[in-house]
Amino acid sequence: MRFQVVIRYIGLVLLIFAAFMLLSAGIAWWSGPDSSYFPLLLSALLTALLGLFPTIFVERSEQISSKEGYCIVVGSWLVACLVGMFPYLMWGGEFTLINAWFESVSGLTTTGSSILTDIEALPRGLLFWRISSAWVGGIGVVMFALLILPSMGRSKKVLSNVELSAVSHDDYHYRTQRIVQILLFVYVGLTATSTLLLKVAGMNWFDALTHAMSASATCGFGTKNLSIAYFNSPLIEAVLIGTMVIGGIHFGLIYATLIGSQANIWRSEVTRTYFAFLGCGALLIALSLWFTGIYPGFFSSLRHALFQFVALTTTSGFATANTNLWPSFAIILLIFGSIVCACAGSTSGGLKMNRLILAFKMLVARLKRQQHPNAIIRVRMDGVLQEDEVVHTAMIFIVTYFMLMLLGTLINTLFGDDLLTGFSSAVACLGNVGPGFGEVGSMSNFAAQPAVLKFSGTLLMLFGRLEIFGLVQLFFIKWWR
């Protein structure tokens, strides 16, 4: 494996981050300049230097191997998280070393968990950097590089295959160059549309842009301590619900729907199940809130239930209510939504709806084989026969996912968390969801967690964002052939 090639491509990714830091510094300058101007400017210069050296001194290669592709993707994520700490550390405040690492990883993996007890104390430049890092992470660090760096040539195919979820590959029926164009069109279009609608709904331009970026990335970072509850606006909540729901759908299907293709979201078995899951879950939670008298009427209960269930299921993590005060039935459904999450090929994390459907169909197929031992029963999705390798990989992923969730819970409880906090924290970090319950609930944060749990939480975030095996394979790179 050619490490110099790996370093060169990571350097290109760092240049993208330097550009966003410089943009954030520009916003900081426009705002006064505020106290984040020099930290952001220095961070941009340092990151640019780190990215320029390998870009200048390492010769470009049009051909890269799968091994190199994996190292580029995983290396880019890890290095991006490290350089993402620079503005936080230079600004100071609540950002100790572990806190800066936690906030950086949480943003880039679009988890949306935070250690900040006073978000509104951050200057505008740093607020924009915090959310723009999540926006880049939403589409994927390497996929974002592919969007704006056409010089990568044939290497795009290898890198995009590594970056995309394994269960989403078959849904893209385009060449790699077309895939990145579709991602750009849908992602930027969704962000721009949401920004305009949020402005019309009552937000100022800065809040509208940052919340639109966060919702499109299904992250949940915001500009207010009370999250979306600060605005107390049904119209703003409706716009964000729409953005979050769309952000949880396969981008290829969104594009196909917009151009009038027959293979659209309404014909997709996965998206139909996704919509039904969101609707049924929100309705059951609303009934639970209404029956227990948490809110005065059914429509008030439905308003909060729909927003919170969509926010957690799409891994956005915004909040309009303190869900710790909700009945156990509602909390269980919210946790279930945080485990399953949205669709493959989206900005969402979690198990993915695709794998849940495959698991259910495997269960049905197994029962049929028990009844008819000589029958040949194959699993289909949207009428397409699923290869055994795809189904087998999905099942291994599900088992591994729950093992990591259990391990995370054990570590959290070992270092002092109660069971609800420890379990929901592991679910939230591994699924890139954001808030959990207990001490890390929707109106709380991770500030009080011990440093060791903050670090273990970031490892779960990276495992979840890189679909587990993307990160695991890095440790077995010498065994590859």
Side-chain angles (χ1 to χ4, degrees):
M1 185 176 67
R2 298 165 299 172
F3 286 102
Q4 69 275 16
V5 174
V6 174
I7 294 172
R8 185 180 195 279
Y9 281 105
I10 293 176
L12 292 174
V13 172
L14 289 182
L15 293 179
I16 296 172
F17 275 81
F20 273 92
M21 288 177 183
L22 193 60
L23 177 60
S24 302
I27 291 176
W29 174 262
W30 184 266
S31 301
D34 63 37
S35 59
S36 65
Y37 172 67
F38 284 109
L40 285 165
L41 185 61
L42 291 174
S43 298
L45 292 174
L46 179 57
T47 304
L49 286 174
L50 291 174
L52 277 173
F53 275 108
T55 305
I56 294 173
F57 295 109
V58 177
E59 185 180 353
R60 187 177 72 179
S61 174
E62 291 293 339
Q63 295 284 351
I64 61 174
S65 65
S66 295
K67 183 188 292 189
E68 291 165 349
Y70 269 104
C71 288
I72 290 168
V73 170
V74 178
S76 295
W77 278 98
L78 295 177
V79 174
C81 290
L82 287 171
V83 300
M85 299 168 58
F86 292 168
Y88 301 135
L89 289 173
M90 292 184 186
W91 186 76
E94 296 184 68
F95 293 112
T96 61
L97 182 63
I98 186 61
N99 284 353
W101 168 254
F102 186 94
E103 203 76 9
S104 178
V105 175
S106 180
L108 282 163
T109 59
T110 73
T111 303
S113 302
S114 181
I115 49 79
L116 292 171
T117 57
D118 188 4
I119 296 171
E120 295 173 34
L122 267 63
R124 274 198 170 186
L126 202 61
L127 280 173
F128 186 81
W129 163 247
R130 182 171 174 261
I131 293 173
S132 63
S133 66
W135 193 71
V136 175
I139 203 169
V141 170
V142 176
M143 285 304 293
F144 194 88
L146 296 179
L147 289 171
I148 65 175
L149 294 172
S151 62
M152 284 187 172
R154 298 176 187 175
S155 303
K156 286 178 181 250
K157 181 65 175 176
V158 176
L159 293 178
S160 63
N161 283 341
V162 176
E163 179 75 26
L164 288 172
S165 169
V167 292
S168 69
H169 286 163
D170 293 338
D171 295 332
Y172 280 114
H173 303 292
Y174 307 100
R175 296 172 63 87
T176 304
Q177 181 64 34
R178 188 62 174 157
I179 291 175
V180 296
Q181 291 173 357
I182 288 170
L183 286 170
L184 177 63
F185 176 80
V186 174
Y187 199 56
V188 175
L190 178 61
T191 304
T193 303
S194 181
T195 300
L196 292 174
L197 291 175
L198 287 172
K199 179 65 175 74
V200 172
M203 285 186 175
N204 61 49
W205 279 114
F206 182 77
D207 285 341
L209 174 60
T210 51
H211 283 88
M213 292 169 67
S214 188
S216 299
T218 60
C219 173
F221 274 169
T223 59
K224 307 299 180 184
N225 292 329
L226 294 177
S227 189
I228 307 305
Y230 171 89
F231 301 99
N232 192 27
S233 168
L235 189 55
I236 288 175
E237 292 166 22
V239 173
L240 288 174
I241 286 173
T243 305
M244 291 185 292
V245 169
I246 295 172
I249 300 173
H250 192 293
F251 278 15
L253 288 176
I254 296 173
Y255 179 78
T257 305
L258 292 174
I259 64 174
S261 173
Q262 289 187 343
N264 54 52
I265 60 175
W266 311 115
R267 292 176 177 268
S268 168
E269 181 180 0
V270 175
T271 51
R272 291 200 306 268
T273 305
Y274 168 61
F275 291 145
F277 182 73
L278 290 177
C280 292
L283 181 59
L284 289 173
I285 292 173
L287 290 172
S288 171
L289 298 176
W290 185 36
F291 290 155
T292 53
I294 300 294
Y295 297 102
F298 175 73
F299 288 105
S300 178
S301 300
L302 182 61
R303 169 189 169 186
H304 292 287
L306 180 61
F307 188 91
Q308 290 304 140
F309 192 66
V310 168
L312 293 188
T313 301
T314 59
T315 72
S316 300
F318 288 121
T320 59
N322 186 353
T323 52
N324 278 334
L325 304 178
W326 288 10
S328 299
F329 178 79
I331 291 176
I332 290 172
L333 286 178
L334 289 171
I335 291 176
F336 184 60
S338 300
I339 294 173
V340 176
C341 301
C343 310
S346 69
T347 57
S348 172
L351 274 179
K352 306 287 195 307
M353 192 63 63
N354 308 58
R355 294 190 181 97
L356 181 67
I357 295 173
L358 279 176
F360 178 77
K361 291 192 172 187
M362 282 288 291
L363 175 62
V364 172
R366 181 60 185 170
L367 292 175
K368 288 181 178 179
R369 289 193 186 100
Q370 290 286 96
Q371 299 169 355
H372 309 284
N374 297 323
I376 299 176
I377 302 171
R378 304 295 298 274
V379 174
R380 294 178 180 270
M381 186 178 293
D382 287 327
V384 178
L385 192 65
Q386 300 295 304
E387 297 180 4
D388 291 339
E389 180 65 23
V390 173
V391 176
H392 181 64
T393 302
M395 296 306 104
I396 291 177
F397 182 93
I398 291 174
V399 172
T400 310
Y401 192 89
F402 280 104
M403 288 175 63
L404 281 173
M405 192 185 301
L406 174 60
L407 178 61
T409 304
L410 289 173
I411 293 173
N412 290 340
T413 53
L414 175 64
F415 286 93
D417 280 353
D418 60 82
L419 183 57
L420 179 61
T421 300
F423 175 66
S424 64
S425 174
V427 170
C429 291
L430 183 60
N432 306 131
V433 176
F437 296 90
E439 295 178 9
V440 293
S442 57
M443 291 298 172
S444 305
N445 52 55
F446 285 70
Q449 292 288 87
V452 63
L453 295 189
K454 291 175 183 176
F455 182 75
S456 66
T458 59
L459 292 181
L460 289 178
M461 293 176 198
L462 288 168
F463 272 116
R465 187 62 183 84
L466 290 169
E467 296 278 317
I468 298 177
F469 299 113
L471 186 58
V472 169
Q473 291 193 64
L474 184 67
F475 300 101
F476 301 98
I477 201 77
K478 290 184 178 181
W479 297 1
W480 287 25
R481 293 290 185 269

